Amino acid sequence: MLRPLVVAAPFLLWAFVGYVHAVTIYGPAGALRPSGTASSSGSGPISTGTLVNTQWIAALNAYNDVKLQAPALPNPMPSTSFAIGVANNAAGMGGLSIPQKGNFFGFSIEMSVVEQVLGLNASFIQIPFLNLLATVADRGGSVRIRIGGNTQETASLVDSLPNNAMIGKDKSVIGGSSRTAQTPTLEYTDELLYLLSNVSSLVNAKWYLGIPFNDTTHLRLQIAEAADSILGDNVLGYQVGNEPDLYASHERRPVDYSPQDYSDEFGVMVNGIHDDKKITRTGNLIAPSLQGTWSPEDLWSTGYLDAYGSSINVLAMEHYPDQNCAAEFPDGGFGPIKNPQDVFPNYLTHTSGQNLVKPYLNTAGIAQQLGKEFMMFETNTASCGGFPGVSDSFASALWAVDYGLQLAYSNFTGALLHVGGQNVSYNPFTPPPTNLSLFEKWTVGPIMYSTLFVAEALGTTNTSRVVDLAANGGNEFTPAYAIYEHDTLSRIALVNFMQEQNGAGSYSATISVGGAAFGESNSVPSQVKVKYLLAPSVSEKEQITWANQTFGGRFQVDGRLSGQEVIQTINCDQSANTCVVPVPGPGAALVFVSNDAQASSDPKASQTYSTTTVTNAIQTLTIEPSVLAHSNGHSGNFPLSGTSKGGANAALRLHSIDHSVVLIFVLLASFLTFVH
Ligand SMILES: *[C@@H]1O[C@H](CO)[C@@H](O)[C@H](O)[C@H]1NC(C)=O
Ligand SMILES: *[C@@H]1O[C@H](CO)[C@@H](O)[C@H](O)[C@H]1NC(C)=O
Ligand SMILES: *[C@@H]1O[C@H](CO)[C@@H](O)[C@H](O)[C@H]1NC(C)=O
Ligand SMILES: *[C@@H]1O[C@H](CO)[C@@H](O)[C@H](O)[C@H]1NC(C)=O
Ligand SMILES: *[C@@H]1O[C@H](CO)[C@@H](O)[C@H](O)[C@H]1NC(C)=O
Ligand SMILES: *[C@@H]1O[C@H](CO)[C@@H](O)[C@H](O)[C@H]1NC(C)=O
Ligand SMILES: *[C@@H]1O[C@H](CO)[C@@H](O)[C@H](O)[C@H]1NC(C)=O
Ligand SMILES: *[C@@H]1O[C@H](CO)[C@@H](O)[C@H](O)[C@H]1NC(C)=O
């Protein structure tokens, strides 16, 4: 997908310059960046003074400074030196998942924040967003993004909006009397769909959209009509109904609204969609997207799947392990505000993911029988904005690695991490607030790194079958998974939820492959490659590295990884059939058992690209392409100098970038929405 772009880049570059105020610019095989930032190295701080000193920004949950205490080491301590035995052939292992794809983890983006996250229109795309998507797509083959959420239910596609805007927030608020029940209504133009289409032309991104379900007597199917024609294959499907089991409590339906009522209404939608000849794609609905108030079985027992299964492509659920609603709605009847420190340990254990999947194992089996995908369509650490200090800590990154692999093992086929607004602490990525949207001032959340880990763990062959190894006697602090591709062991993922204290808390796993226990020959290779996900502590918010690379700290992110990629080589003892892999506490390790396994999920140099958007109020911009966007390919094949952020080595000069460009962002005041 990206290759033609790179070839065409010089032409595009100049075309764009003439087109608008150098709004979106792609560089010839390299980063284009404003001068003045070019010399800042990946680790060097970019001045954020004006941002962090602004009180109203500091008060937003996306930038909270809560730093929690690491939980004490478990008592009793698990063994910190244990053996893991796996078969080399899938046939020798029990309980493998169905084949999974590297795009397992994707993103769910609240419709009301599209302008801030994706861009203002089809010609003004947020380059950090493209770069972030590319980091996932380069590793997992593609990236799936849902645009929707509560706001999809009352959103309307209109022909045009004042000031040529793409999205307008209607002042009227639909919903009941309580604040928790209200949602601002959105209007948008088809420019939004062209924007998605343009993103897909630059990164291998696929989309899920939502058809409004607020009113089944007056269907509004325009989004599907338009998206089918504008997005074609890049739209994967349409969600119909978002958390219908919360409609009653959100005062959108009568208090006695039942699974049968919802099922009947869904039928009305199915018929409407069927009868609409402008909707050219069929059988691609996503439903029922229950939040958990109803169990899936409550709905299946109405005959829902028999009646409508043929219209549905993805069975979906939306669930968070906890909620922080009392903080957001102190008078909302949610009881006392939870203390993040108290819930912190709940995220530092394998049991979190296990408990999350448990209510859905039956449905995962049903989905398989029906040949449907089964997705956790919206999820994150905690609804109602997450827990400051938890949702944005390294603990959340380890939690999401384990949760993602647990979902894959449990035969979900994907999970979308939710991106809310500026006032939530769980975002994988957050654009800068309002008018401060300067180039490379984004912030990534720790769970963004989990998406890279899981994408690489599953790779690009579409054959990855995952098994929870119940390692170390099934200990909850030291989980491990094996991944088989083409029915052969390819990778092992090891997680350490413990925080090392007084020299205790790290562990070593002694991995054996094949051998008599599996009726196979001894199969450890002579060496394995290992990539680590690391941070100084479980409460760390910024200094997080994946294979020694980082997106950067708060307000420092342009979407590319920087720093020297480090892939460890660990020599194995083939006569003993063992490889000893240390896992620091806290941390996670991805062990590539074969070179093929690594090549399959390694970001390809040929697919990398880098970009910038020119939104700085700089009269004359120097834009410098660096050699590679992010990461540097294969082990042992060290990149050219200058691959890290800021390691630019060439310069193109663009003149006369107008001051007005910076005003573009002076309208994005309300990134604060009623979301999870
Ligand atoms: C559904 O949403 C549309 C658009 O916001 C609104 O005009 C309509 O009144 C809503 N219908 C109901 C029943 O709330
Ligand atoms: C993006 O969309 C606009 C409007 O639909 C189109 O004119 C433009 O060529 C597209 N740009 C790219 C980079 O695809
Ligand atoms: C952000 O969320 C907190 C609750 O976590 C709330 O008290 C505060 O008012 C919100 N801020 C804005 C600007 O909405
Ligand atoms: C996932 O599906 C496979 C294939 O049907 C099955 O063998 C396995 O037990 C399932 N895993 C779980 C955790 O239910
Ligand atoms: C950005 O917005 C803030 C808050 O609305 C305002 O105080 C500030 O002056 C604005 N800055 C610029 C450069 O427009
Ligand atoms: C994996 O599946 C995707 C569709 O989801 C497809 O585009 C891709 O070509 C497949 N890759 C392989 C190696 O089969
Ligand atoms: C990790 O990256 C940093 C920053 O780029 C670099 O200084 C350091 O040398 C790297 N570590 C190794 C072991 O290469
Ligand atoms: C896209 O948005 C930018 C920034 O507001 C504006 O300058 C440009 O005219 C818009 N382009 C279109 C085609 O609407």
Side-chain angles (χ1 to χ4, degrees):
M1 273 256 135
L2 295 169
R3 218 163 305 186
L5 175 74
V6 171
V7 173
F11 307 102
L12 270 181
L13 172 66
W14 298 113
F16 270 103
V17 171
Y19 180 47
V20 277
H21 301 300
V23 167
T24 307
I25 298 184
Y26 281 80
L32 303 177
R33 54 186 31 251
S35 65
T37 60
S39 60
S40 62
S41 75
S43 50
I46 292 164
S47 168
T48 58
T50 49
L51 292 175
V52 280
N53 291 340
T54 308
Q55 270 187 346
W56 66 272
I57 293 177
L60 296 170
N61 279 322
Y63 313 108
N64 79 81
D65 285 320
V66 176
K67 213 161 175 185
L68 302 173
Q69 290 291 317
L73 285 173
N75 183 12
M77 271 293 279
S79 167
T80 53
S81 174
F82 55 90
I84 290 179
V86 291
N88 192 42
N89 298 311
M93 294 294 283
L96 297 191
S97 73
I98 56 176
Q100 301 286 6
K101 294 179 183 169
N103 65 4
F104 191 90
F105 257 150
F107 304 103
S108 156
I109 299 177
E110 193 67 32
M111 198 168 189
S112 52
V113 304
V114 161
E115 285 179 309
Q116 290 85 353
V117 178
L118 277 72
L120 286 175
N121 57 46
S123 324
F124 191 101
I125 303 174
Q126 288 274 18
I127 301 305
F129 176 70
L130 293 179
N131 280 336
L132 288 162
L133 293 189
T135 59
V136 180
D138 284 350
R139 290 168 170 79
S142 66
V143 57
R144 297 185 284 185
I145 305 136
R146 169 245 199 164
I147 303 294
N150 287 340
T151 39
Q152 82 193 24
E153 304 281 37
T154 51
S156 301
L157 179 58
V158 296
D159 288 340
S160 68
L161 286 166
N163 305 318
N164 211 15
M166 180 178 75
I167 293 188
K169 291 191 178 95
D170 194 330
K171 299 229 168 12
S172 64
V173 166
I174 294 200
S177 47
S178 66
R179 263 185 77 208
T180 42
Q182 296 171 348
T183 302
T185 62
L186 287 186
E187 292 181 331
Y188 61 97
T189 68
D190 63 6
E191 186 77 5
L192 171 60
L193 303 171
Y194 286 106
L195 166 60
L196 304 186
S197 175
N198 276 3
V199 171
S200 291
S201 71
L202 300 167
V203 188
N204 193 7
K206 305 284 180 189
W207 308 94
Y208 295 108
L209 298 168
I211 298 178
F213 197 74
N214 76 318
D215 189 345
T216 46
T217 56
H218 303 95
L219 303 186
R220 301 198 309 290
L221 306 177
Q222 293 86 347
I223 191 167
E225 296 170 357
D228 270 5
S229 109
I230 294 168
L231 283 163
D233 285 344
N234 290 324
V235 63
L236 295 174
Y238 301 101
Q239 184 181 32
V240 172
N242 184 59
E243 302 181 333
D245 47 342
L246 287 182
Y247 285 161
S249 68
H250 284 177
E251 301 171 44
R252 284 179 224 292
R253 294 292 193 278
V255 286
D256 57 355
Y257 192 69
S258 68
Q260 186 63 57
D261 294 333
Y262 158 72
S263 182
D264 294 344
E265 273 198 276
F266 190 80
V268 174
M269 289 288 287
V270 164
N271 290 335
I273 291 165
H274 178 262
D275 293 344
D276 184 338
K277 295 307 165 214
K278 288 191 206 147
I279 299 178
T280 52
R281 290 157 188 271
T282 55
N284 62 352
L285 302 185
I286 296 135
S289 311
L290 302 179
Q291 169 271 351
T293 302
W294 300 339
S295 74
E297 287 70 24
D298 289 340
L299 181 61
W300 306 156
S301 66
T302 66
Y304 178 88
L305 289 171
D306 289 337
Y308 310 119
S310 62
S311 301
I312 298 171
N313 181 33
V314 180
L315 295 181
M317 299 293 155
E318 299 187 3
H319 197 70
Y320 294 62
D322 202 347
Q323 48 81 12
N324 191 20
C325 295
E328 196 174 350
F329 307 109
D331 307 321
F334 293 101
I337 296 179
K338 297 183 188 184
N339 181 356
Q341 185 69 57
D342 295 342
V343 303
F344 200 30
N346 302 347
Y347 293 87
L348 287 163
T349 164
H350 188 48
T351 56
S352 176
Q354 288 177 316
N355 289 335
L356 275 158
V357 301
K358 221 172 266 171
Y360 304 115
L361 293 176
N362 177 41
T363 298
I366 293 171
Q368 260 187 71
Q369 279 162 25
L370 298 177
K372 314 272 177 220
E373 285 213 49
F374 183 44
M375 291 179 70
M376 191 62 94
F377 214 62
E378 178 186 318
T379 191
N380 212 309
T381 38
S383 61
C384 286
F387 292 108
V390 175
S391 301
D392 51 359
S393 69
F394 186 56
S396 70
L398 295 177
W399 169 82
V401 164
D402 182 60
Y403 175 35
L405 292 174
Q406 188 67 29
L407 285 163
Y409 160 63
S410 304
N411 297 321
F412 276 78
T413 61
L416 307 180
L417 296 170
H418 198 56
V419 179
Q422 298 283 352
N423 205 27
V424 309
S425 52
Y426 57 56
N427 287 335
F429 40 77
T430 311
T434 66
N435 56 0
L436 299 167
S437 291
L438 300 175
F439 174 58
E440 52 175 32
K441 296 285 188 203
W442 284 47
T443 300
V444 300
I447 57 171
M448 183 63 206
Y449 294 89
S450 319
T451 68
L452 306 187
F453 188 109
V454 170
E456 286 193 49
L458 299 175
T460 53
T461 63
N462 298 343
T463 66
S464 290
R465 300 173 67 198
V466 182
V467 58
D468 182 339
L469 297 171
N472 204 10
N475 187 274
E476 64 181 296
F477 303 106
T478 60
Y481 298 83
I483 294 105
Y484 289 77
E485 279 182 302
H486 295 297
D487 290 331
T488 302
L489 179 68
S490 60
R491 304 180 196 89
I492 292 174
L494 305 163
V495 178
N496 187 350
F497 281 120
M498 295 182 286
Q499 168 89 47
E500 187 173 292
Q501 285 156 40
N502 301 321
S506 295
Y507 73 75
S508 295
T510 301
I511 296 171
S512 304
V513 182
F518 297 97
E520 294 178 350
S521 54
N522 288 355
S523 305
V524 295
S526 58
Q527 56 181 43
V528 293
K529 305 278 188 199
V530 185
K531 286 192 181 185
Y532 287 102
L533 178 62
L534 295 174
S537 77
V538 290
S539 45
E540 177 61 39
K541 289 154 100 90
E542 302 194 53
Q543 291 180 59
I544 296 163
T545 54
W546 169 234
N548 195 50
Q549 293 190 305
T550 179
F551 284 111
R554 184 185 292 179
F555 300 126
Q556 293 182 350
V557 174
D558 70 6
R560 292 175 297 155
L561 288 165
S562 66
Q564 176 67 62
E565 184 180 51
V566 174
I567 304 172
Q568 305 281 357
T569 298
I570 291 182
N571 291 320
C572 304
D573 180 342
Q574 284 187 298
S575 60
N577 194 31
T578 54
C579 301
V580 181
V581 179
V583 186
L590 185 57
V591 182
F592 298 87
V593 178
S594 67
N595 285 333
D596 282 356
Q598 200 211 326
S600 144
S601 60
D602 213 38
K604 309 293 182 292
S606 61
Q607 290 179 345
T608 60
Y609 73 109
S610 62
T611 52
T612 185
T613 178
V614 183
T615 55
N616 267 323
I618 299 170
Q619 203 85 43
T620 302
L621 289 171
T622 303
I623 296 185
E624 314 188 26
S626 62
V627 180
L628 286 176
H630 37 250
S631 183
N632 16 29
H634 307 266
S635 54
N637 183 9
F638 289 114
L640 305 165
S641 64
T643 49
S644 63
K645 243 189 201 177
N649 59 4
L652 290 172
R653 207 161 264 277
L654 297 179
H655 295 287
S656 308
I657 302 299
D658 204 277
H659 249 99
S660 64
V661 187
V662 83
L663 298 178
I664 291 161
F665 284 101
V666 188
L667 41 104
L668 310 177
S670 52
F671 192 49
L672 305 163
T673 46
F674 291 79
V675 293
H676 263 290

